[in-house]
Amino acid sequence: MDERDRGWQQVETELARSRRLLARATRRSERRLAAVAVPGLVSASDARHRKLRGACGVSAAWTMTVLVDVILIRAHVLKDTYTGISTLTGAVAGPLLLGIHYGWAGRPSLMVRDGQHLVSARTLTGVRTLNLDGLVSVRRFETIQRTGGYVDEFHLYDRQGVRLTVTNELAINAALRRAVPSPDARPGHNGLAPVQVTRHARTALGMAPRSRLPRAMHRFWGLWMTVATMAVPALLSYVTACVLAGTDVLGRPGH
């Protein structure tokens, strides 16, 4: 074998090695993408336990921050006006607790298992799986984003106590139309039970009766609800810190 043949053989060996490495990296990437794009199934009890742990964790951190803020003010390490730390904590903790409760989710995955139509998505406390065949209520929420766009989502709740918030997209919309019985349906031998669907949600699903309010009114109401989600916990946290620190709500030292 001359020098040229040995050179070509080495090149072919390197190419084969590179193909093996590329195939291995591709399979690894596909597994990772599948794990991100298609959440696995999680039982209702596990979802509820994770929700409870998450809510307790956020509440504990909120309470601890307020107490530390009050202690530092009482010890004159911080000025009386530093109750703003507690206020900011409340403004952050409020939306987090609401997100944990309603199950704010990422991109959902629709699937059928054992004849049941399910939707799984990652939330703030991990993956939740909701049974579309056991829906109890469907609500719609719309508001205005700071970037100029709009939020349009469904708040879902099933018989097993699982809550999930999913974006109003084509696949979800079609799945909900299949899962929600018609308004004149009644419970019968087939187990069909009425689902509480708001008029605003029925408007999105193309079902009657529909909401008579303009869409802009729903978005305006959603904007105020978003503001209240931050403002109310922030005010509660501020007042609590003022009372415990001996400072009135106007920021003046107490007596």
Side-chain angles (χ1 to χ4, degrees):
M1 182 180 295
D2 58 14
E3 188 69 26
R4 183 191 300 181
D5 292 337
R6 284 195 295 270
W8 278 111
Q9 186 177 11
Q10 184 177 1
V11 169
E12 291 176 354
T13 303
E14 290 296 327
L15 286 175
R17 180 173 177 272
S18 298
R19 284 195 294 268
R20 289 194 300 270
L21 292 176
L22 181 60
R24 190 181 305 168
T26 301
R27 289 193 297 269
R28 188 182 301 115
S29 299
E30 289 176 351
R31 287 195 298 268
R32 290 177 179 176
L33 287 174
V36 172
V38 184
L41 299 180
V42 175
S43 65
S45 59
D46 288 342
R48 289 194 299 268
H49 291 159
R50 292 178 183 179
K51 174 183 174 180
L52 180 60
R53 288 197 298 267
C56 290
V58 173
S59 300
W62 182 8
T63 303
M64 186 62 64
T65 302
V66 173
L67 292 178
V68 170
D69 188 22
V70 169
I71 291 173
L72 293 178
I73 292 175
R74 284 284 190 179
H76 302 290
V77 176
L78 297 177
K79 296 180 179 179
D80 294 339
T81 55
Y82 273 72
T83 48
I85 296 176
S86 299
T87 306
L88 180 61
T89 303
V92 174
L96 281 178
L97 289 174
L98 191 68
I100 291 173
H101 176 69
Y102 281 108
W104 292 349
R107 188 173 183 83
S109 175
L110 294 167
M111 62 194 75
V112 180
R113 293 290 187 274
D114 299 327
Q116 293 183 327
H117 295 81
L118 310 172
V119 55
S120 283
R122 282 182 170 82
T123 68
L124 297 175
T125 56
V127 177
R128 293 187 192 180
T129 301
L130 182 137
N131 188 352
L132 292 174
D133 297 327
L135 278 176
V136 172
S137 67
V138 179
R139 296 178 176 274
R140 186 185 181 193
F141 178 78
E142 283 191 285
T143 188
I144 305 171
Q145 291 180 327
R146 291 182 301 175
T147 57
Y150 298 99
V151 173
D152 188 2
E153 58 193 18
F154 291 111
H155 294 177
L156 309 178
Y157 181 62
D158 69 5
R159 294 193 189 105
Q160 294 180 314
V162 178
R163 295 183 183 273
L164 192 63
T165 298
V166 292
T167 304
N168 180 13
E169 55 186 31
L170 291 177
I172 291 295
N173 198 294
L176 288 177
R177 286 199 302 270
R178 289 192 299 266
V180 175
S182 59
D184 57 350
R186 294 292 184 270
H189 65 277
N190 58 356
L192 184 64
V195 182
Q196 295 179 0
V197 185
T198 63
R199 288 177 177 265
H200 189 35
R202 289 188 180 275
T203 302
L205 299 176
M207 303 173 65
R210 302 188 179 189
S211 175
R212 298 179 180 178
L213 294 177
R215 194 170 186 181
M217 292 297 296
H218 289 286
R219 290 172 174 173
F220 184 71
W221 174 255
L223 177 62
W224 279 107
M225 289 297 98
T226 302
V227 173
T229 299
M230 296 182 292
V232 173
L235 180 61
L236 176 63
S237 188
Y238 171 70
V239 171
T240 302
C242 287
V243 171
L244 296 179
T247 302
D248 67 12
V249 294
L250 299 179
R252 297 172 300 191
H255 300 284

